[in-house]
Amino acid sequence: MTDLAAPLPVARPAGPSALKIGAWLAAGLAILPLLAIVWLALTRPSATAMPLSLILRYGLTTAALGSLTAVAVTVLGTSAAWLVVMYRFPGRSLFSWALALPLAAPAFALAYGYADLLDVAGPIRTALRASFGSDFWPMEIRSLPGAAFVLSMAFYPYVYLTARSAFISQSVCALEASRTLGSTPWETFTRVALPLARPAIIAGTALALMEVFADYGAVSFLGVQTLTTGVVRAWSVYGAPGSAARLSLLLLAVAAVLLWLERSGRQGQSFGANSARWRPLEPEPLQGWASWGASLFCLSLISFGLLIPAGWLAYRGLSAAPEADRLIQAAITSFGLAGTGALVTVALAAVIAFGAPQNHRIKRLASLGYATPGAVMAVGLLAPASLIWHGAGSGGSQTVALALGLLVLAYAARLMASALGPIEAGLARVTPSMDRAARTLGETETGALRRVHVPIAKGALWTAALLIFVDVLKELPATLILRPFNFDTLAVLADRYASDERLAQAAWPTLLIVLTASLPIIILSRKIMQSRPGE
């Protein structure tokens, strides 16, 4: 006799589900450019190889630039985070989210502004010579230290955001115990808070260095030759794809180390106290010169990281009317590419997050491109594309479509990890019981995804799309290499004007990028600040 109370058996698919297969395919697309780089470096000889001495100089310059920038962003970002979390001073609530604003400006925007402002013929040094007979300027902006200053101002928010998250997540118990034992505020910071936050600070520094090594627009404009500029030069000047691929391998090795550091830092974070009675940190009021000094420090970071260079570019832009047709066309192209890139990247990342929620191997595979410069992605995609390029027809619409497809794929491969993070955070609210309930009610795997997962993670999907949109809008090297002829984005148009020393014209597309990216950055940074405990 059949037991009517027994649960009905649930039919299970015989093999891997469509979502899991899709997750592996999406991860394969993300790693395709990196595999192509290795293949190209091993199989393609270079008839006009770059001199070894030049490659060595690129490597040493990149190492020096990374070292200087790493020290600067770590000190600046950590100091700002400690002040905002631990102390109360004028403007603290504004600075808590505004310190992230330099992320809205591409590094080349800062390079244009500071190069024009601080160059030998710039207004500041000209005024100094007129007043004192000499400008007494300590540092040439078009130099390695000048580039380190520009990149530090552009990328310190990575350390600020991760360090702030670490500091604010620490229990007050450990800090109070340190004070009770007679430690000064400085000793409490260096011996208790800083060691607890070290994994997060290392992760933030690694993220900043990934951006430093991926940068092309700022360093090339300032005359600093790094491995990334070497990749572009090997491809476009020497016509040596083999040399470009071998230089890319060096960058991939560095990127792998940085990605490992960033992952290790995040996995090693442990900021809570063992006490069950956890209490958030209460900021201590600063008095007198200390309070205004803290405000001035935070205001200086925002000013040097965004307000001064952007303000000077705005002033320079007013001295020349924009070439409206080119600017409008570049804006349409940029927004179209950024929107398409965000849509494709978020879709692929969602397939991975939905199809392999517990498979960390797939996610690590898809995230490898995050630390890879855009120039490396572009060279890697051109290798397999060359196998089918001849069949597309030279100069035809098929060639343009292929180039645009490669460009969007380069964006997706490089930025996949940026989309995976928010989506995974959103999916953390989907419990196994929700899945079981949906399947019990007769939903298929795809139906559960559509009616349960997507509605719950909708906010995370929008957050991921905003992040990718901003990153694509600022991307320069991959677009320079892969774009079809006369297909200029705002970043490419700014680079063209700047290369011709037409900075008044370059100001218009540059500022349009900054203004467009500022709104998403403000929304996201305020959202992050409001989600922290104790805010």
Side-chain angles (χ1 to χ4, degrees):
M1 182 176 179
T2 305
D3 186 2
L4 297 178
L8 295 174
V10 178
R12 298 186 180 274
S17 66
L19 278 177
K20 185 168 292 186
I21 295 174
W24 277 109
L25 290 176
L29 284 176
I31 201 175
L32 176 63
L34 308 184
L35 297 176
I37 282 291
V38 176
W39 172 77
L40 191 61
L42 296 177
T43 62
R44 184 72 63 89
S46 297
T48 56
M50 298 180 70
L52 182 60
S53 59
L54 188 58
I55 296 176
L56 181 61
R57 190 176 73 187
Y58 287 154
L60 293 176
T61 303
T62 303
L65 180 63
S67 300
L68 290 173
T69 308
V71 172
V73 298
T74 301
V75 172
L76 296 175
T78 304
S79 302
W82 180 251
L83 285 174
V84 167
V85 170
M86 289 299 299
Y87 299 104
R88 194 176 301 278
F89 51 90
R92 173 184 174 267
S93 58
L94 172 66
F95 294 136
S96 64
W97 60 266
L99 281 164
L101 280 180
L103 291 179
F108 61 77
L110 277 66
Y112 298 163
Y114 280 120
D116 196 48
L117 192 60
L118 302 177
D119 222 341
V120 176
I124 293 180
R125 298 178 66 176
T126 300
L128 289 174
R129 284 194 299 272
S131 301
F132 304 104
S134 175
D135 56 29
F136 300 107
W137 201 252
M139 178 184 69
E140 292 293 337
I141 193 64
R142 295 179 185 268
S143 65
L144 179 62
F149 165 74
V150 167
L151 295 178
S152 299
M153 291 299 100
F155 300 135
Y156 80 82
Y158 287 104
V159 180
Y160 165 72
L161 291 172
T162 55
R164 185 183 184 279
S165 174
F167 288 142
I168 209 169
S169 299
Q170 293 176 6
S171 172
V172 72
C173 303
L175 303 181
E176 285 180 343
S178 174
R179 293 290 185 89
T180 302
L181 293 173
S183 298
T184 64
W186 175 252
E187 289 173 336
T188 300
F189 170 68
T190 57
R191 298 173 63 179
V192 179
L194 193 59
L196 287 173
R198 187 180 296 124
I201 295 171
I202 292 174
T205 303
L207 288 171
L209 285 178
M210 290 178 198
E211 296 292 342
V212 169
F213 294 141
D215 180 74
Y216 171 76
V219 293
S220 63
F221 184 74
L222 296 176
V224 178
Q225 301 299 315
T226 63
L227 286 172
T228 299
T229 61
V231 170
V232 177
R233 190 176 181 189
W235 183 271
S236 60
V237 176
Y238 283 83
S243 291
R246 283 183 277 278
L247 280 175
S248 298
L249 282 183
L250 294 177
L251 277 170
L252 285 178
V254 174
V257 172
L258 291 174
L259 189 61
W260 176 79
L261 285 174
E262 191 268 340
R263 294 286 180 182
S264 300
R266 286 200 294 166
Q267 292 173 0
Q269 290 182 27
S270 180
F271 312 121
N274 292 328
S275 171
R277 299 182 64 183
W278 186 92
R279 289 186 290 117
L281 293 169
E282 288 295 332
E284 177 183 342
L286 291 177
Q287 304 295 333
W289 66 266
S291 64
W292 292 107
S295 299
L296 181 61
F297 175 74
C298 293
L299 180 60
S300 297
L301 287 182
I302 300 171
S303 298
F304 287 120
L306 180 64
L307 300 181
I308 292 175
W312 180 253
L313 284 178
Y315 173 77
R316 291 283 280 123
L318 293 175
S319 65
E323 296 180 352
D325 291 342
R326 294 185 69 184
L327 186 63
I328 292 172
Q329 184 59 49
I332 293 173
T333 300
S334 289
F335 298 150
L337 274 177
T340 305
L343 180 64
V344 171
T345 306
V346 170
L348 292 174
V351 169
I352 293 174
F354 294 147
Q358 304 301 324
N359 194 325
H360 300 294
R361 185 180 304 173
I362 293 181
K363 295 173 184 176
R364 284 195 294 268
L365 193 68
S367 299
L368 287 176
Y370 181 66
T372 307
V376 175
M377 284 291 182
V379 172
L381 283 172
L382 281 176
S386 63
L387 300 177
I388 58 175
W389 198 282
H390 298 294
S394 176
S397 59
Q398 291 177 326
T399 303
V400 173
L402 177 60
L404 292 178
L406 290 175
L407 191 53
V408 172
L409 181 56
Y411 296 149
R414 182 169 186 264
L415 302 172
M416 188 78 72
S418 296
L420 270 173
I423 294 173
E424 285 186 295
L427 286 177
R429 293 181 294 168
V430 180
T431 63
S433 60
M434 294 180 184
D435 266 334
R436 288 194 294 268
R439 300 304 291 272
T440 301
L441 293 172
E443 289 288 354
T444 62
E445 184 181 44
T446 305
L449 169 66
R450 178 173 55 86
R451 301 186 64 178
V452 178
H453 293 77
V454 171
I456 291 177
K458 182 168 60 176
L461 292 171
W462 278 108
T463 298
L466 282 175
L467 287 172
I468 304 303
F469 184 89
V470 171
D471 283 337
V472 173
L473 202 62
K474 299 189 294 183
E475 176 62 37
L476 178 60
T479 311
L480 273 175
I481 294 175
L482 290 174
R483 68 190 175 92
F485 182 70
N486 279 340
F487 197 84
D488 292 343
T489 62
L490 289 170
V492 171
L493 185 60
D495 182 73
R496 284 173 169 268
Y497 283 137
S499 299
D500 295 336
E501 294 296 334
R502 300 171 62 190
L503 285 182
Q505 293 290 349
W508 289 98
T510 303
L511 289 173
L512 193 51
I513 294 174
V514 173
L515 291 174
T516 304
S518 292
L519 184 59
I521 293 296
I522 290 173
I523 293 173
L524 293 176
S525 60
R526 287 181 64 86
K527 183 178 178 181
I528 291 172
M529 298 309 129
Q530 292 168 359
S531 67
R532 302 299 184 195
E535 287 296 297

